[in-house]
Amino acid sequence: MSFRHLEPRTGETTAQVIRFALWPIAILTVLNRVIVKAVNGNITDDFRPVYNAAFAFLNRREVYTANFDSVDPHYLYPPSGTLVIAPLAILDPERSRWMFIGVNALAVVVALYLLLRMFELSLSSVAAPVVLLAAFSTETVTNTLIFTNVNGLILLGEVLFMMLLLRRRYYLSGAAIGLTIAVKPTLAPLLLLPLVRKEWRVFVTALGIPLVLTLLALPLSVDAGAFITHTLPYLLESRDYFNSAIVGNGLYYGLPTILVLALRAVFAAMVLVSLWLLWKYYRHDELFFVVTASGVLLVASFLLTSLGQMYYSMMLFPLIMSVVLRNSVMRNWPAWLAVYGFLSYDSWLVGRFPEFGRAIEYLRSTWGWSLLIIVVFAVLLGRYLTARREGRLDQGIDPAFLLDQPRTTTATPSPAATAESAPTH
């Protein structure tokens, strides 16, 4: 009797060997994060206040009753978000939490698959297991599942928004981001993209869905007005705990207000210059423009507004994936030093040197976001200055070695871009 057919398939190329090695590691890492770490949970529980709010909403009780003097997770979703999450309370808390963990894990996996397709990569490519393993090894995915919050679904909404925007499916693109805004406004800065591209149909559903859900929720909620009077003022404040934004660290470390304002102004200026260069020289290279500008907008919102938390960094996955594009701003080592800062699951708390370790641990997502803004600004400005010095701004600002290379995106120009036949200066 021959057992030859039981012999595992042997990789014949380097790519096959890497795929064979990484797929089982990636799959088992996903399972560990979902059924071990997430199910075990943590002292930080983002799901409990959400479930309690859903239960109160279904039973016609007050929802916006959080005591903001504590540092425990609070329920902060608007009435439209309360309506969306209300079905969670149909099940008992434990099973509802398990279901929510599974849904968010699935949403992350689907979002990663769509990202691969958006960058024209297949499941048979080496990138597939690399992306899956890398994503589920990060702090942002791991803690999203352990703390059990909605970030996985927000990521899926972001990727769908981008993909559908590039495919000219404007109403569906708006619906994808509109559903996320109805729950939390994390992705709201991305609406600047269809605004500057004059893709007005996106706003029909992007703004219409939250509005309709709010109108439906108002008569069903017994204290909808409390969101405005009780919760919204808290959301507009800058807190000094669990806040990696510049203002949050400024409050925690007692920095002078003028220094905090100066830092925010400097980084805001770099963001504006980066966005201007992207719009002026890259708006016709649609895939590059959309993912890079989106990343800049989001990291700016995390760093410069009143609240930024490390696990928001999941929304930067599209920018990080842009490394496969030949003109990506991520093809340098400082960019990946930045990525380590806000994505690594490592802990830097050092028992023998507590102050040193605490400073690195608390500040690493802040310096990671800051460094990423600096990198994008430096890359784009460097390209612009080089192209101007060489007298080739009429050809764009891509590095000279890319000028004769085919573009890495197959997206068609926008209607507004098609109407412009002259090169951008």
Side-chain angles (χ1 to χ4, degrees), residues 29-346:
T29 298
V30 172
L31 293 176
N32 173 268
R33 296 301 191 265
V34 174
I35 66 178
V36 179
K37 288 189 176 295
V39 171
N40 285 346
N42 186 277
I43 190 172
T44 300
D45 184 358
D46 290 342
F47 182 75
R48 173 57 65 174
V50 171
Y51 182 89
N52 289 343
F55 186 83
F57 179 81
L58 290 182
N59 288 275
R60 305 285 294 170
R61 299 175 186 171
E62 293 183 342
V63 171
Y64 300 104
T65 59
N67 176 12
F68 296 129
D69 291 331
S70 75
V71 298
D72 295 328
H74 307 301
Y75 182 72
L76 304 173
Y77 297 167
S80 57
T82 305
L83 179 64
V84 171
I85 60 95
L88 288 174
I90 295 175
L91 299 175
D92 63 89
E94 185 174 32
R95 287 178 176 80
S96 181
R97 180 175 176 271
W98 292 351
M99 182 200 71
F100 202 56
I101 291 170
V103 167
N104 272 276
L106 180 61
V108 173
V109 172
V110 173
L112 295 176
Y113 170 74
L114 294 177
L115 274 177
L116 288 171
R117 301 305 301 156
M118 195 161 74
F119 288 97
E120 299 182 353
L121 298 168
S122 68
L123 288 178
S124 61
S125 68
V126 173
V130 170
V131 167
L132 185 65
L133 175 60
F136 277 83
S137 298
T138 62
E139 183 276 344
T140 180
V141 172
T142 301
N143 279 343
T144 284
L145 298 176
I146 293 174
F147 300 163
T148 318
N149 59 52
V150 75
N151 287 340
L153 291 166
I154 301 295
L155 173 66
L156 179 57
E158 176 191 10
V159 175
L160 284 170
F161 164 73
M162 291 182 183
M163 176 173 283
L164 293 167
L165 189 68
L166 291 169
R167 294 183 178 182
R168 307 289 186 267
R169 307 293 296 273
Y170 297 125
Y171 294 121
L172 290 177
S173 177
I177 196 171
L179 283 170
T180 71
I181 293 173
V183 177
K184 57 192 300 188
T186 306
L187 302 181
L190 300 189
L191 290 178
L192 181 64
L193 297 179
L195 179 64
V196 298
R197 289 155 57 97
K198 299 180 181 180
E199 294 161 336
W200 310 117
R201 284 174 287 178
V202 171
F203 293 92
V204 174
T205 44
L207 302 180
I209 286 178
L211 177 61
V212 169
L213 289 174
T214 298
L215 294 176
L216 291 174
L218 290 178
L220 300 175
S221 176
V222 298
D223 65 340
F227 175 78
I228 303 296
T229 59
H230 180 63
T231 304
L232 189 58
Y234 172 78
L235 289 172
L236 297 176
E237 294 176 356
S238 298
R239 66 194 198 199
D240 61 358
Y241 61 93
F242 302 143
N243 188 358
S244 296
I246 289 176
V247 64
N249 278 308
L251 290 171
Y252 182 81
Y253 288 102
L255 299 180
T257 301
I258 188 65
L259 176 58
V260 172
L261 291 174
L263 287 171
R264 295 170 85 183
V266 168
F267 281 102
M270 285 190 282
V271 167
L272 291 174
V273 171
S274 299
L275 291 173
W276 180 80
L277 290 170
L278 285 169
W279 171 249
K280 189 170 182 63
Y281 293 102
Y282 285 107
R283 65 181 182 270
H284 303 317
D285 187 356
E286 289 198 299
L287 179 57
F288 174 82
F289 173 76
V290 167
V291 297
T292 308
S294 295
V296 172
L297 287 168
L298 288 173
V299 75
S301 71
F302 304 157
L303 185 67
L304 303 179
T305 58
S306 61
L307 176 64
Q309 294 185 290
M310 191 172 179
Y311 55 34
Y312 292 175
S313 301
M314 190 187 302
M315 311 312 154
L316 302 179
F317 282 178
L319 173 60
I320 295 169
M321 272 289 293
S322 75
V323 71
V324 302
L325 303 177
R326 286 180 60 82
N327 58 351
S328 173
V329 297
M330 300 298 296
R331 291 192 165 197
N332 55 81
W333 69 262
W336 292 90
L337 178 61
V339 168
Y340 177 87
F342 58 73
L343 285 189
S344 172
Y345 193 52
D346 293 345

Side-chain angles (χ1 to χ4, degrees), residues 244 310 313 341-342 360-370:
S244 296
M310 191 172 179
S313 301
F342 58 73
I360 296 179
E361 180 66 16
Y362 291 176
L363 289 171
R364 64 191 179 96
S365 56
T366 308
W367 67 251
W369 293 336
S370 302

Side-chain angles (χ1 to χ4, degrees), residues 378-402:
V379 169
L380 294 174
L381 184 61
R383 290 180 183 181
Y384 169 78
L385 294 175
T386 299
R388 189 178 68 173
R389 184 175 65 250
E390 296 175 355
R392 54 178 176 83
L393 284 176
D394 58 332
Q395 301 177 58
I397 62 171
D398 270 343
F401 73 90
L402 291 178

